[in-house]
């Protein structure tokens, strides 16, 4: 149970709806709140009984931004998101002071290519990782795959494209390959199969233009738990190892539910 001094109360400063069931929002940021890109925060809202309902939310914003940004699904009837989706600018939300999670590049040793594979809101932590200068300095090549059902759900595609003009690492942006995947409608420029299928049939490597290789590749996977499990199995079946505490491997994973 969180005690009052374990969290701060922040204000919602901006809301952006992507689709009727996907939106992003920014909050004020407690000066003492620290995180490593890829980590998540725990957000709290009062429930009907006055008890706070807490949920994990990956942080989209950069570690140096003065605000925090999150990207949320709306689950019909969901205890948290049915409340969250009613909030407006100026409303309050609790944020635990602790940062959490191991979907961070410091889980890896070596590696020259970073592959970030996501479904749905699982793209959120990867946007934060892309805003970190060290990501661009440490890796020679960076791949971001975002798999969604419908093209309108390709949130942050424009943000990723705008990295090309970034004042500090824009000149490195040729390192990045962004691969949109749309599975339930035809969409120009997007691949059409689920991530494990794209790995199996070689389509993903063909699109990216270079191959996966345990010597070079470090892989982060985030999103639908079944996708995470199937994709993990694909890699571990080929000799890749999951990073453990104090034991860097090739894979870092996060399930969103
Ligand atoms: C480490 C971690 C990071 C997370 N980061 C995010 C994030 O950045 N954005 C976000 O929207 N959610 C994220 N989640 C999920 C989030 O914590 C809540 O589950 C979500 O807000 C729904 O809350 P709820 O109470 O409305 O429904 P819940 O009762 O929590 O969930 C009900 C059902 O909704 C589905 N569901 C829940 N979350 C998602 C999702 N993100 N995408 C698709 N289906 C989902 C699942 O089927 C789940 O069983 C994260 C979860 C974890 C564990
Ligand atoms: N109310 C609405 O209008 C609305 C709209 C969309 C979603 N939703 C609900 O929101 C929830 C989450 O939807 P979401 O679209 O964000 O997440 P999702 O169902 O996880 O789908 C996101 C992406 O992940 C893929 N995926 C799903 N399972 C996979 C697996 N085992 N392996 C590899 N890829 C997999 C999907 O492909 P596939 O397309 O092949 O499954 C899709 O490309 C669902 O419960 C859904 O019912 C509601």
């Amino acid at each position: 149970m969180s005690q009052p001094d374990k969290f701060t109360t922040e204000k919602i400063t901006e809301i952006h709806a992507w689709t009727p069931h996907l939106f992003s929002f920014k909050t004020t940021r407690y000066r003492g709140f620290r995180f490593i890109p890829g980590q998540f925060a725990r957000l709290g809202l009062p429930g009907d009984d006055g008890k706070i309902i807490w949920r994990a939310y990956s942080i989209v914003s950069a570690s140096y931004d003065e605000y925090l940004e999150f990207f949320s699904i709306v689950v019909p009837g969901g205890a948290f998101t049915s409340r969250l989706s009613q909030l407006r600018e100026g409303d309050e939300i609790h944020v635990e002071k602790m940062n959490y999670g191991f979907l961070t590049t410091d889980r890896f040793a070596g590696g020259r290519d970073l592959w970030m594979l996501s479904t749905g809101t699982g793209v959120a932590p990867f946007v934060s990782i892309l805003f970190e200068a060290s990501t661009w300095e440490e890796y020679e090549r960076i791949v971001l795959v975002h798999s969604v059902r419908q093209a309108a759900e390709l949130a942050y595609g424009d943000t990723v494209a705008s990295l090309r003009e970034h004042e500090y690492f824009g000149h490195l942006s040729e390192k990045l390959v962004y691969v949109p995947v749309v599975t339930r409608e035809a969409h120009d420029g997007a691949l059409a199969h689920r991530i494990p299928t794209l790995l199996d049939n070689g389509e993903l490597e063909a699109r990216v233009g270079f191959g996966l290789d345990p010597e070079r590749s470090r892989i982060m996977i985030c999103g639908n738990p079944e996708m995470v499990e199937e994709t993990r199995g694909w890699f571990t079946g080929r000799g890749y190892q999951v990073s453990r505490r104090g034991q860097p491997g090739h894979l870092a994973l996060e399930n969103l539910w």
Side-chain angles (χ1 to χ4, degrees), residues 22-226:
L22 282 177
F23 67 102
S24 295
F25 60 99
K26 291 181 182 173
T27 73
T28 52
R29 175 176 175 177
Y30 164 59
R31 287 169 64 95
F33 183 83
R34 295 278 176 272
F35 69 97
I36 306 170
Q39 286 193 310
F40 63 91
R42 285 175 53 82
L43 305 183
L45 289 172
D48 289 338
D49 57 4
K51 274 196 191 159
I52 300 177
I53 304 167
W54 291 100
R55 289 290 185 273
Y57 268 82
S58 301
I59 303 162
V60 177
S61 44
S63 60
Y64 46 81
D65 283 330
E66 284 178 4
Y67 55 85
L68 293 175
E69 180 169 343
F70 303 98
F71 175 37
S72 185
I73 182 112
V74 182
V75 177
F80 190 80
T81 53
S82 53
R83 287 173 171 75
L84 184 69
S85 57
Q86 299 298 313
L87 298 184
R88 294 294 166 258
E89 288 171 17
D91 287 344
E92 294 183 335
I93 186 163
H94 303 308
V95 182
E96 270 198 24
K97 289 179 182 170
M98 273 282 290
N99 52 337
Y100 295 91
F102 302 106
L103 192 71
T104 51
T105 55
D106 60 9
R107 303 285 280 169
F108 301 135
R112 288 188 279 165
D113 301 337
L114 179 65
W115 293 69
M116 299 184 284
L117 311 180
S118 64
T119 59
T121 57
V123 75
F126 298 147
V127 177
S128 182
I129 288 173
L130 282 177
F131 273 108
E132 198 67 15
S134 61
T135 308
W136 298 85
E137 287 155 8
E138 281 167 24
Y139 294 97
E140 289 171 21
R141 304 187 291 199
I142 303 167
V143 178
L144 173 63
V145 180
H146 189 197
S147 172
V148 296
R149 296 177 179 196
Q150 251 111 31
E153 297 163 342
L154 286 172
Y156 294 104
D158 289 347
T159 309
V160 171
S162 74
L163 290 171
R164 307 212 178 276
E165 269 82 57
H166 195 280
E167 119 178 75
Y168 295 116
F169 41 79
H171 66 290
L172 300 173
S173 65
E174 279 176 12
K175 291 182 172 196
L176 175 66
V177 185
Y178 171 62
V179 184
V181 179
V182 178
T183 46
R184 299 201 186 185
E185 65 180 4
H187 182 64
D188 262 3
L191 299 181
H193 293 111
R194 289 178 165 193
I195 289 170
T197 307
L198 295 172
L199 287 166
D200 251 350
N201 66 15
E203 231 184 303
L204 183 58
E205 287 166 296
R207 162 61 77 93
V208 166
F210 53 87
L212 284 152
D213 161 14
E215 281 292 309
R216 293 188 62 102
S217 313
R218 298 295 176 269
I219 296 107
M220 304 180 112
I221 311 171
C222 185
N224 181 311
E226 285 168 14

